[in-house]
Amino acid sequence: MNGLKSNAVFVKSEALKQKPAKATSFGKVFTDYMYVREYKDGEWKQGRIAPFDALELLPCSSILHYGQGVFEGLKAYKDGDGTVRLFRARDNFKRMQTSCERLCMPAIDVEQAFAALYDLVDIERDWIPTDKGTSLYIRPFMFADDNSLGVHAAKNYKFIIMLSPSGAYYAHGFAPVALKVERNYVRASAGGTGAYKVIGNYSASIKAGETAVKEGYDQVLWLDGVHRKYVEEVGSMNIFFVIDGAVVTPELNGSILPGITRDSVIRILKSKNIPVEERKISIDEVLNGAKSGALTEVFGTGTAAVISPVDRLGDGGIDYAVGKKGEAGKIASMLLDELTGIQTGAIADKFGWVTVVDNGVIAANK
């Protein structure tokens, strides 16, 4: 079939799925096709866009035993006119390269991966919802697939991109969440894998998250793994504080993920001449700011939620209010409007972050 920018083989589905009338909750429904590319004999083989289907793995597949796997998360959007936009996709693949290097996995070619994603989204554009707050969630991932139990870097890998239409993250409005300061468990330490999107980071964080929910909180506020003093991330997002009018976020230190949304937020704030500080910030400074009123806003940033405001911090059984209960702050609200406006085309993209996916011949003839 002609028209594929990635030179992938297109394997046509015998029967397409019934598309949902409305976008579903996150990660529950997947589109007709996925992109698959395999690494064997020291090289990447030709990729293919094929029907979404089960993967064949033997019980001795190395991913099941040693967790040599990485992933990314990003979104595509479609406006009322049918224009499809990708947001900072190349940056996600560049970050994936660093994750692969950290786990001794073969590097991906950023432009080749981007072309494959472009083709896949073009083919599946009819799956992209258009209601406010909805999107097509994109999950690229790679994992080791050696059929042996030796503890070493694998020689065989699979790189896959799958798509999932997702409903609005804020089903009940842009409502703030409550955070529990985690004093027991640690997300990551410098020298580990905290600065990379590797699969083990997320399984290790589940216990603390489950405990926080049982105690009446929504997410965990992680502290550093050495001093248990400095704030690092919130749940699986980056974290920001507004203190005395300046926006403060923990500096990247080798254990904090360099979030694409984090970087976007910093650049938007600087473009509006709003003071931004990337530095160490202790939990004592945060809690003292909450008590004195110097801390006026807290919010997390990430692909899924984009901006997640916070109105309560809990530490050792004591709760500290931030801003007005149940209300997002002015800066968090502005950032949500700016970012989603750029992503959906409602606001001009002066940063060059958006790629428009043209309606190609593959989409018309699939």
Side-chain angles (χ1 to χ4, degrees):
M1 223 163 199
N2 297 322
L4 286 176
K5 297 178 181 295
S6 61
N7 195 34
V9 174
F10 182 79
V11 182
K12 189 173 183 178
S13 175
E14 295 181 0
L16 300 181
K17 302 174 187 176
Q18 180 69 40
K19 296 177 178 62
K22 288 189 176 182
T24 59
S25 56
F26 178 78
K28 300 292 187 181
V29 173
F30 298 92
T31 64
D32 292 299
Y33 293 97
M34 62 181 182
Y35 175 80
V36 182
R37 197 176 188 194
E38 296 172 342
Y39 184 87
K40 293 182 178 181
D41 303 319
E43 65 178 11
W44 285 106
K45 305 302 181 181
Q46 185 174 19
R48 62 186 184 275
I49 292 178
F52 183 89
D53 203 355
L55 299 175
E56 183 177 299
L57 294 178
L58 292 177
C60 56
S61 176
S62 50
I63 183 61
L64 302 177
H65 301 273
Y66 307 119
Q68 199 182 0
V70 303
F71 72 94
E72 279 295 325
L74 61 154
K75 292 178 178 179
Y77 305 83
K78 185 164 67 174
D79 64 22
D81 295 328
T83 301
V84 174
R85 294 174 174 84
L86 291 170
F87 182 74
R88 301 193 67 173
R90 285 186 175 88
D91 292 314
N92 283 95
F93 289 126
K94 288 176 183 177
R95 187 172 65 181
M96 193 172 193
Q97 278 187 324
T98 67
S99 298
C100 288
E101 192 278 332
R102 178 62 178 83
L103 292 195
C104 295
M105 300 171 72
I108 61 168
D109 182 290
V110 169
E111 289 304 316
Q112 175 66 30
F114 178 81
L117 174 60
Y118 188 105
D119 287 337
L120 184 60
V121 170
D122 185 15
I123 289 169
E124 299 289 53
R125 62 173 54 243
D126 291 343
W127 280 88
I128 308 176
T130 57
D131 292 338
K132 185 178 180 180
T134 63
S135 62
L136 183 70
Y137 182 77
I138 300 165
R139 172 58 61 90
F141 63 103
M142 188 198 303
F143 63 91
D145 192 23
D146 275 11
N147 294 321
S148 66
L149 297 182
V151 185
H152 52 72
K155 297 181 179 180
N156 299 282
Y157 298 85
K158 285 185 172 66
F159 171 57
I160 297 171
I161 305 175
M162 59 185 184
L163 311 175
S164 176
S166 298
Y169 187 86
Y170 298 107
H172 304 291
F174 187 44
V177 298
L179 306 182
K180 175 194 173 184
V181 177
E182 181 52 59
R183 298 279 189 175
N184 184 28
Y185 299 106
V186 171
R187 175 189 167 272
S189 295
T193 60
Y196 310 91
K197 279 191 82 72
V198 306
I199 60 177
N201 291 352
Y202 296 82
S203 59
S205 71
I206 292 173
K207 178 68 174 179
E210 293 286 328
T211 301
V213 170
K214 289 178 182 177
E215 295 177 2
Y217 300 94
D218 300 290
Q219 295 278 357
V220 166
L221 185 63
W222 298 105
L223 304 182
D224 74 280
V226 177
H227 306 287
R228 308 293 180 90
K229 174 181 179 180
Y230 297 102
V231 176
E232 297 219 326
E233 293 190 13
V234 52
S236 57
M237 296 183 289
N238 294 114
I239 186 74
F240 286 78
F241 306 92
V242 181
I243 303 175
D244 290 327
V247 182
V248 183
T249 191
E251 63 187 6
L252 300 179
N253 59 2
S255 60
I256 294 174
L257 185 73
I260 306 299
T261 310
R262 174 189 184 273
D263 179 70
S264 302
V265 161
I266 291 172
R267 291 173 66 178
I268 289 172
L269 290 169
K270 288 182 177 179
S271 75
K272 294 181 177 296
N273 296 316
I274 296 174
V276 184
E277 300 174 12
E278 296 180 71
R279 61 173 174 82
K280 283 186 175 181
I281 178 168
S282 70
I283 187 60
D284 289 341
E285 179 183 355
V286 170
L287 298 181
N288 287 336
K291 288 187 285 187
S292 70
L295 176 68
T296 54
E297 290 188 52
V298 180
F299 55 90
T301 65
T303 298
V306 185
I307 304 293
S308 183
V310 175
D311 67 357
R312 180 164 61 97
L313 301 170
D315 182 40
I318 300 174
D319 281 355
Y320 300 82
V322 180
K324 293 183 179 180
K325 184 177 181 180
E327 293 185 14
K330 290 182 179 180
I331 292 179
S333 298
M334 177 274 293
L335 288 168
L336 180 68
D337 291 341
E338 285 283 324
L339 266 174
T340 56
I342 294 170
Q343 290 166 342
T344 59
I347 294 177
D349 174 24
K350 64 182 181 181
F351 300 97
W353 289 335
V354 170
T355 300
V356 173
V357 180
D358 295 326
N359 196 348
V361 296
I362 291 296
N365 295 285
K366 69 175 183 177

